[in-house]
Amino acid sequence: MKHNDPKLLLQSAPLLRQELTTPGAMKEVWLALLPTTLASLWFFGLSALLLIVVSIAGAVLTEWLFTDKDKRRMAIGDSSAGLTGLLLALTLPPGLPLWMAFLGAVVSIGLGKVIWGGLGANIFNPALLGRAFLLGTFPIAMTTWGSPSGLGDFFHLQSSNLAWPFMHGQIDALSAATPLGLMKFQQQTTAISSLFIGNTAGSLGETSAFLLLLGGMYLLIRRSIDWRIPTAIFLTAAIFSLAMFINDADKYPSPIVTLFSGGLLLGAFFMATDPVTSPLTPKGCWIFGIGVGFLVVLIRLFGGLPEGMLYAVLLMNAATPLIDRYTQPRIFGRK
Amino acid sequence: MFNLFSLGQSFAHGVHPPHHKEQTEDLPIQRVPFVNRYVMPLGQHIGIPAEAIVAVGDSVLRGQLIASSNGFISTALHSPVTGKVTDIGMHRYVDGSFKMAIEITADPYATQQFSASANASVKAVEQMSIDEFIIAVQQSGIVGMGGAAFPSHVKYAIPEGQQITDLLINGAECEPYLTNDHRLMVERPEAVLRGCEILRKQLGAKRVAIGVERNKPESITELQKHLAIDMPIDIVPLEVKYPQGAEKMLIKSIYNKELAVGKLPRDLGIAVNNIGTIVALADYFDQGMPLIERIVTLAGPGIKEPANLIVPLGTPIRDVLDFAGGLSEHTREVIMGGPMMGSPVADLDAPILKGTSGILAFTEQETARPQEYPCIRCARCLDACPYFLNPSRLALLGKARLFSQMQSDYHVMDCVECGACTYACPSNIPIVQHIRAAKDNLRNLASPDVEKKK
Ligand code: SF4
Ligand code: SF4
């Protein structure tokens, strides 16, 4: 035998791989969130910037601390922890004390992800779990919404941001109500154009419907997210709220307001579509989306909270293993 | 039957790997020169290995029978060259193992002209009964040339009570890089059509459909050009999608029929054959030439001079590569067959086989595997699987070695190992490797020896 052959590998087929990698898929989501993130800086200035930085830092640090040494580089490298941090920050009110945001991010990753076994193994959306924790622990701080300030005021920091941990921070006097809060508690509607552009009170990332739609469309076009989930959420929420709106237009918001307010878009495009915590099967995705759309309107209109996306998604996350089990596709050539 | 304005007929799911056929699709078929040494493994087809009927020291003629079929699911071997039998023993096989083979050293003074008289003369195929035809095909050594190497005559033996109505010819050639079927359709369309007619008449089928992926327009036009008015043959353009050439997918694409698990195409009245097989049939029945050579595509980034070659069976891979300028220094892996389902070549001294459709060489760039990430449940593998299996769950259970659950809950045995799921996975999980391990394990469990031991 001649021995000048190259050393041949014996990797079994298929030899080819499509180009997208898991870290690449994460990057797509970062990119899709960019307009919304920039808008939050525009609307809420330095407060938004600090909240985002602190939340991402909390998430990445937790991931790093609790991951095995030899897996750390990979776990941080896929940027999913940072993404969770950003998503969490986008659901926070601009005046939230920074230390709460940090704690929320620690809980997101610690209890929402690492404890389940890391990327891919968790049942609940980590960012939403962190937000649920914050909402339960600091209900007042989490529901106090500052009005957007605009770029002119970039360096105006909401004083409550800098509250010391566990001290009774004074709540910003200039608090405003979110469009859904106005509707629910004061029967006041917000102009659709404000919802669309985003100069309303609300969490960092939920205000501009237009930019969220832009990001969502990008992910859909790139096929980064399953199209069935947002479609099912929008259709169900629209139909359900339309039925209620026809019933009593003074008491209930129109379907447009329903879709464009209160984080529904943020949740539908970026939280509910998280592949890890949504069903694998096509039929399952429909059921999941319909469930979220139905629950969100139900909670908003009949529950004690003005918003419903958080619990709607978390509840459907819990149902996902079951949905997957009962919606296995029919195998080719089998009954 | 088909719509000219559509993308071409197709099945559901599947993937779209870049087809890379531009490297060789316009290269005419060339003949490689004869070399010194040939190795013919006795078990290079599916089924029982052939039985050697020559002895060391015997002189053999090109095309002479050297091993006969050993049972019905078995086939014959013929000498690819005129020369002398120099060994009957264990020789290197592609996977690196040793297999029983006949080694023939070429006679440097022979003309290597093939003459039909080397074989018992073949009776005109038109006069043959179906039983004679089946025996003749078995004696010709012809097997499925797409890669599976299943003895063809077995497919033509239709049980009592069944009738073949449709003959389906697989010209999809859905594996990237390979263009050997394409070149046959372009350069020898009459042989393709002649083979179709021989087989159609023998099987008593009413119609023939030749499925060709739309990335081979030249094949389609050449076939259409040579189609005689009295041939009930349809050329059906198919969508370019992997695995379009998988038997069940092809039946779905062309007849929109779903072959049930455990059934054979003939249960639907369909017989499926590959382009290479059909041309081999034509050559055998018209020229008396048994299966002693085949077309092999040499391609891939590691091949210096890509080509489509007529190679005598048993030629060492090394010699074929040398003819094509050898391997580039960046070559890391050599594959026999296509990049999606082929097998890695462990030793370049192993011979070209009846089922060798291509020899592909890949460099660092294609073989380097990025880090494996955990499954993010993105469902891309589900969307890729033409059988609608759940590769994500299968890989997860496979990793946990829960083999029996893979079968009871997710029907792992229905997987045809096409690799589409693995191609599509962004986390670079070796899904099909987990599946193969599980299938091997389950087969061993089901085998009788294990049961006896209990
Ligand atoms: S290898 Fe098996 S599981 Fe994967 S796509 Fe092909 S048939 Fe489906
Ligand atoms: S393609 Fe890979 S990462 Fe996506 S669900 Fe399938 S196995 Fe998991």
Side-chain angles (χ1 to χ4, degrees):
Chain A
M1 222 170 73
K2 298 173 222 165
H3 280 285
N4 51 1
D5 290 348
K7 263 220 163 97
L8 293 180
L9 293 170
L10 295 177
Q11 294 183 128
S12 57
L15 235 80
L16 306 182
R17 293 286 190 280
Q18 52 102 24
E19 273 161 30
L20 186 78
T21 60
T22 288
M26 303 285 172
K27 277 196 203 100
E28 296 272 13
V29 185
W30 281 96
L31 204 61
L33 280 171
L34 192 67
T36 298
T37 310
L38 290 179
S40 76
L41 302 185
W42 169 279
F43 289 127
F44 302 111
L46 194 56
S47 303
L49 184 65
L50 288 178
L51 278 173
I52 291 171
V53 168
V54 162
S55 176
I56 292 179
V60 173
L61 210 67
T62 314
E63 178 97 24
W64 190 81
L65 268 179
F66 290 113
T67 309
D68 291 347
K69 252 207 205 95
D70 47 331
K71 285 195 187 153
R72 268 180 192 157
R73 269 194 57 183
M74 172 178 145
I76 305 296
D78 66 28
S79 84
S80 64
L83 194 58
T84 299
L86 175 64
L87 279 168
L88 173 69
L90 291 178
T91 68
L92 300 177
L96 192 77
L98 293 178
W99 69 270
M100 290 186 190
F102 186 84
L103 191 63
V106 171
V107 170
S108 281
I109 296 296
L111 293 182
K113 185 172 164 195
V114 180
I115 208 174
W116 301 87
L119 181 66
N122 47 304
I123 300 260
F124 295 103
N125 182 304
L128 288 181
L129 201 84
R131 176 170 155 75
F133 162 79
L134 289 176
L135 200 63
T137 323
F138 313 108
I140 299 186
M142 281 294 286
T143 50
T144 305
W145 312 94
S147 317
S149 52
L151 195 63
D153 248 355
F154 184 83
F155 293 105
H156 169 80
L157 193 60
Q158 310 213 9
S159 56
S160 50
N161 281 146
L162 298 179
W164 283 98
F166 306 110
M167 299 305 256
H168 200 60
Q170 76 279 34
I171 296 304
D172 211 318
L174 278 171
S175 79
T178 64
L180 282 178
L182 285 173
M183 185 84 206
K184 188 162 186 94
F185 302 122
Q186 293 161 37
Q187 264 83 50
Q188 224 176 313
T189 43
T190 307
I192 310 263
S193 61
S194 307
L195 288 174
F196 199 67
I197 296 165
N199 48 346
T200 62
S203 71
L204 294 189
E206 73 180 31
T207 55
S208 170
F210 173 70
L211 295 178
L212 286 168
L213 275 173
L214 198 71
M217 286 300 154
Y218 174 76
L219 290 181
L220 284 176
I221 289 167
R222 303 277 299 172
R223 296 182 177 226
S224 288
I225 56 175
D226 191 286
W227 60 276
R228 299 172 188 92
I229 296 177
T231 311
I233 295 178
F234 296 145
L235 284 179
T236 316
I239 292 169
F240 190 14
S241 64
L242 183 68
M244 300 311 294
F245 184 65
I246 291 171
N247 214 0
D248 186 347
D250 290 333
K251 204 165 153 217
Y252 299 116
S254 73
I256 309 252
V257 174
T258 303
L259 294 189
F260 285 0
S261 65
L264 192 136
L265 287 174
L266 181 67
F269 283 128
F270 296 98
M271 309 282 191
T273 53
D274 167 16
V276 173
T277 55
S278 61
L280 266 175
T281 63
K283 230 191 269 166
C285 286
W286 283 114
I287 297 176
F288 182 89
I290 292 172
V292 171
F294 179 74
L295 285 173
V296 70
V297 178
L298 195 74
I299 296 172
R300 280 184 183 183
L301 301 187
F302 305 107
L305 301 162
E307 296 170 40
M309 210 50 197
L310 169 66
Y311 293 111
V313 175
L314 286 178
L315 277 169
M316 291 314 289
N317 283 165
T320 293
L322 209 66
I323 296 176
D324 261 345
R325 219 187 146 78
Y326 290 104
T327 55
Q328 283 307 310
R330 184 185 67 84
I331 292 171
F332 188 93
R334 282 190 187 272
K335 294 266 153 38
Chain B
M1 186 177 179
F2 61 92
N3 178 358
L4 274 178
F5 302 102
S6 75
L7 273 175
Q9 288 170 229
S10 196
F11 59 97
H13 287 186
V15 289
H16 297 90
H19 60 71
H20 293 295
K21 300 204 190 253
E22 59 292 336
Q23 224 185 357
T24 52
E25 66 192 350
D26 296 327
L27 300 178
I29 299 170
Q30 277 176 285
R31 188 173 273 285
V32 297
F34 286 93
V35 296
N36 181 31
R37 178 178 157 267
Y38 291 81
V39 176
M40 291 292 278
L42 295 172
Q44 56 181 294
H45 49 263
I46 290 180
I48 308 161
E51 201 178 327
I53 57 162
V54 287
V56 175
D58 284 3
S59 288
V60 289
L61 291 174
R62 181 154 179 252
Q64 182 185 327
L65 187 72
I66 52 173
S68 58
S69 4
N70 198 358
F72 188 61
I73 305 187
S74 177
T75 194
L77 290 183
H78 302 77
S79 177
V81 283
T82 299
K84 215 176 211 130
V85 176
T86 40
D87 186 35
I88 298 179
M90 303 303 261
H91 286 268
R92 281 278 187 192
Y93 201 64
V94 271
D95 59 10
S97 68
F98 287 89
K99 279 204 181 190
M100 203 58 175
I102 301 175
E103 184 194 68
I104 297 163
T105 303
D107 174 354
Y109 302 110
T111 58
Q112 301 298 1
Q113 225 26 279
F114 169 74
S115 77
S117 61
N119 265 329
S121 66
V122 182
K123 182 176 164 188
V125 64
E126 281 74 16
Q127 266 93 61
M128 284 185 185
S129 70
I130 178 73
D131 292 329
E132 285 171 323
F133 176 76
I134 289 168
I135 291 169
V137 174
Q138 185 169 20
Q139 284 168 350
S140 75
I142 293 174
V143 299
M145 308 274 280
F150 185 75
S152 294
H153 66 278
V154 181
K155 281 195 187 176
Y156 308 149
I158 307 301
E160 202 85 39
Q162 276 187 331
Q163 172 61 40
I164 296 295
T165 54
D166 288 281
L167 176 58
L168 174 51
I169 305 302
N170 184 356
E173 204 165 51
C174 61
E175 279 266 18
Y177 292 101
L178 301 183
T179 56
N180 50 322
D181 285 348
H182 167 64
R183 288 315 303 179
L184 271 179
M185 288 186 273
V186 172
E187 294 181 37
R188 302 194 58 200
E190 329 80 28
V192 173
L193 298 173
R194 166 75 179 142
C196 291
E197 283 302 276
I198 291 175
L199 193 54
R200 179 183 69 80
K201 286 179 187 150
Q202 278 296 340
L203 296 177
K206 291 193 186 66
R207 289 207 73 81
V208 183
I210 306 180
V212 186
E213 279 193 354
R214 284 187 91 99
N215 58 0
K216 295 181 265 293
E218 215 188 332
S219 290
I220 298 174
T221 46
E222 280 304 320
L223 288 176
Q224 243 142 14
K225 219 191 304 175
H226 289 83
L227 207 54
I229 217 88
D230 61 339
M231 294 178 181
I233 299 178
D234 298 306
I235 320 292
V236 188
L238 302 168
E239 190 191 336
V240 181
K241 185 156 91 169
Y242 180 85
Q244 189 66 264
E247 196 167 77
K248 289 185 184 186
M249 298 305 118
L250 202 60
I251 291 174
K252 173 76 183 166
S253 296
I254 292 194
Y255 303 109
N256 196 23
K257 284 186 186 159
E258 194 171 311
L259 190 60
V261 172
K263 295 276 182 196
L264 294 169
R266 67 176 186 222
D267 296 321
L268 293 175
I270 300 169
V272 187
N273 278 263
N274 162 278
I275 291 284
T277 314
I278 222 78
V279 171
L281 282 177
D283 286 350
Y284 179 62
F285 286 106
D286 288 350
Q287 298 163 26
M289 168 116 119
L291 188 58
I292 53 171
E293 57 189 28
R294 67 156 297 145
I295 320 271
V296 180
T297 300
L298 260 76
I303 299 275
K304 286 205 183 125
E305 295 161 29
N308 279 302
L309 303 173
I310 300 184
V311 184
L313 299 179
T315 310
I317 295 171
R318 180 188 308 284
D319 293 316
V320 184
L321 285 171
D322 283 348
F323 182 74
L327 293 172
S328 91
E329 56 188 314
H330 303 293
T331 301
R332 286 288 168 280
E333 180 155 0
V334 178
I335 292 278
M336 180 178 275
M340 299 298 283
M341 287 187 82
S343 27
V345 173
D347 192 322
L348 297 181
D349 288 321
I352 297 289
L353 307 171
K354 290 180 176 181
T356 305
S357 47
I359 295 290
L360 308 178
F362 294 95
T363 61
E364 191 59 48
Q365 220 184 337
E366 299 80 34
T367 52
R369 286 280 165 268
Q371 170 111 52
E372 183 182 335
Y373 283 90
C375 170
I376 53 166
R377 297 170 43 87
C378 67
R380 282 185 173 80
C381 52
L382 275 83
D383 288 342
C385 181
Y387 290 85
F388 290 72
L389 298 169
N390 189 335
S392 163
R393 294 295 298 170
L394 285 172
L396 216 69
L397 292 171
K399 226 179 249 181
R401 304 184 64 79
L402 295 170
F403 301 134
S404 53
Q405 198 187 342
M406 287 169 83
Q407 177 58 12
S408 62
D409 291 4
Y410 296 99
H411 294 287
V412 66
M413 284 305 193
D414 292 5
C415 167
V416 296
E417 301 172 28
C418 72
C421 51
T422 314
Y423 170 78
C425 178
S427 281
N428 190 30
I429 296 170
I431 306 174
V432 64
Q433 282 75 3
H434 286 300
I435 289 177
R436 283 189 198 120
K439 286 171 80 173
D440 279 352
N441 243 284
L442 291 169
R443 273 194 214 108
N444 289 343
L445 275 182
S447 81
D449 329 340
V450 179
E451 259 161 47
K452 256 185 252 153
K453 268 187 223 152
K454 272 189 204 160

